[in-house]
Structures are given as C-alpha cells and as structure tokens.
Amino acid sequence: MTEVSTASAAIEAIHLTKRVSDATGELTILQDVHFTVPSGATLAIVGASGSGKSTLLGLLAGLDTPTEGSVRIGGIDIFALDEDGRAKVRKEKLGFVFQSFQLVAHMNALENVMLPLELQGAGDARPKAEAMLERVGLASRLKHYPKYLSGGEQQRVALARAFVTQPPLLFADEPTGSLDAATGEAVIQLMFELNRERGSTLVLVTHDPMIAARCGRVITIAAGKLV
C-alpha cells in the first residue's frame, strides 16, 4: 500500500504486534503490521478465518491493546492515552458496524440511533435520529424493538447509529456476515452510499472478495502478517 503523509492520514497502524499466552505458550496473532489510511479513503482488510484481521480492527479502534506498536487516529497516538482517553476518541471520531449488530435489546430503533448522539450531549438527538432512520428506509419502524426487526432491518438500524454522529472514521467488521446474500448486498450498497455522502473514511473487515473490490484499497492479512 502506498504510504501517505501523516498530516493527511485518518489512521496509522504503526508496527503493530499482538501476542497472547495460553497453556501451550505464547501465540503471535499479529506481527509488525504497518500501514496508513488517508482521510476519505475506503480500505478493505481481508484474510482467511483466524488470520488476525478482526484483532487488527480491534487494535485500530483502541478496543484492544497491542503488545508492541501503536495507532494514530487523526494524528492522536491512542495508546499514549488511558482507557478513558481512548473512549473519548471513539465517542468523538469513530462509528462502528458489527456482524452481530450490537443493538441494545431494550431500546427501540429510534432510541438505539439516538444513543450515540445523547452520549455526545447533542440537544437535537431525536430529529437527527429520525432523519437518519428515514434515510435508511426505516421511517415506519422507529418504535420497533430489535427482536421485531429482520436481520437486514437490524443492520440498517446499526448503520444509522454508526453514521448519525457523522464520524470521520467508520469501522465495519463483517457487516453482512449474519445476512443472506440479497439482504447483504442491499446493506453494503447502503453503507457505501452513506459513506460517500458523509465523506468519512471506511475501514472494512470482510472475507468476501466482491465487497473488498468495492474499496479503493485492499490489504491482506495472512498468519498475522501483512501480505
């Protein structure tokens, strides 16, 4: 991958290594992974199951800590911060879309999308959330709880929640992994449309080469190393 100046980088992975220990000894999950993603880019991280790609995404988001190396988001070294500091960066700069949706079961669709806005202290959370749900085609499902929504509808709520704060950086971890092919295609198309509209940087983990091909850049992880 062509490197870019750090001044224009949305995210930088700096020689990331992750090792864990178990009863059999030490296991290296990632080894010396280094790359830079410019602002506004779309990046797919691909690799076989167990290759370390989801671990890499967790490190990039500051949800896990590396054994060696660091990550800069918008020029901020997130591992120079404590957990509260990293949580603040995530709240202000990141959106997330997960394979398992991660919706709050006791909140309806509207409340789920309002949640990140309320955590930011936004005074107009409700109208913004309503507008975002209308944008993803769920204006008639605002009061429905996750258990009454289909998988595709739940993932559209998750997309609305991720984009509603207009974060500069969006992470997606196998966002269609729980969906059938037709529903997954619709969700992916919507995600890329929203990303273009918002001008955010997208970092996507996928095992699907067709999805990866839609991104401007693709990197492959094999046995914990950048290929």
Side-chain angles (χ1 to χ4, degrees):
M1 177 180 293
T2 303
E3 296 295 332
V4 298
S5 70
T6 57
S8 63
I11 190 163
E12 301 166 72
I14 306 165
H15 300 293
L16 286 174
T17 294
K18 179 67 176 181
R19 292 187 290 267
V20 297
S21 297
D22 60 18
T24 63
E26 190 172 71
L27 174 66
T28 299
I29 301 174
L30 289 172
Q31 184 173 340
D32 196 32
V33 174
H34 186 87
F35 61 89
T36 303
V37 185
S39 295
T42 54
L43 170 71
I45 301 171
V46 302
S49 178
S51 60
K53 57 187 186 297
S54 289
T55 298
L56 174 57
L57 195 70
L59 292 173
L60 296 178
L63 297 169
D64 193 6
T65 56
T67 307
E68 297 171 12
S70 195
V71 172
R72 290 194 186 103
I73 293 177
I76 299 171
D77 184 345
I78 63 173
F79 294 112
L81 306 173
D82 60 16
E83 178 50 44
D84 287 343
R86 290 195 293 276
K88 185 173 185 290
V89 170
R90 286 194 293 270
K91 182 174 72 173
E92 294 176 351
K93 297 183 179 295
L94 307 185
F96 296 89
V97 183
F98 300 96
Q99 175 178 337
S100 56
F101 317 136
Q102 300 284 4
L103 300 178
V104 181
H106 67 270
M107 291 183 172
N108 62 33
L110 179 61
E111 291 165 341
N112 265 282
V113 179
M114 288 173 61
L115 182 60
L117 292 165
E118 291 173 334
L119 290 174
Q120 289 186 351
D124 54 354
R126 187 182 185 92
K128 282 186 174 180
E130 288 176 342
M132 197 70 224
L133 283 164
E134 181 176 3
R135 173 63 186 82
V136 302
L138 294 176
S140 65
R141 310 287 273 174
L142 302 184
K143 300 298 185 181
H144 287 69
Y145 290 88
K147 67 180 179 179
Y148 298 116
L149 299 172
S150 70
E153 288 171 334
Q154 289 185 62
Q155 193 59 296
R156 281 189 280 160
V157 174
L159 285 176
R161 183 182 59 186
F163 280 101
V164 73
T165 60
Q166 299 191 37
L169 181 59
L170 181 77
F171 290 117
D173 190 2
E174 299 282 10
T176 62
S178 299
L179 306 175
D180 63 74
T183 304
E185 167 61 25
V187 165
I188 283 294
Q189 180 147 342
L190 178 60
M191 185 174 70
F192 278 96
E193 285 176 4
L194 289 170
N195 196 65
R196 284 192 296 271
E197 289 172 11
R198 298 304 191 272
S200 53
T201 305
L202 173 64
V203 178
L204 169 71
V205 164
T206 184
H207 66 279
D208 188 334
M210 299 294 288
I211 295 174
R214 298 189 182 195
C215 292
R217 297 172 178 228
V218 180
I219 64 172
T220 301
I221 301 293
K225 296 181 180 180
L226 187 64
V227 177

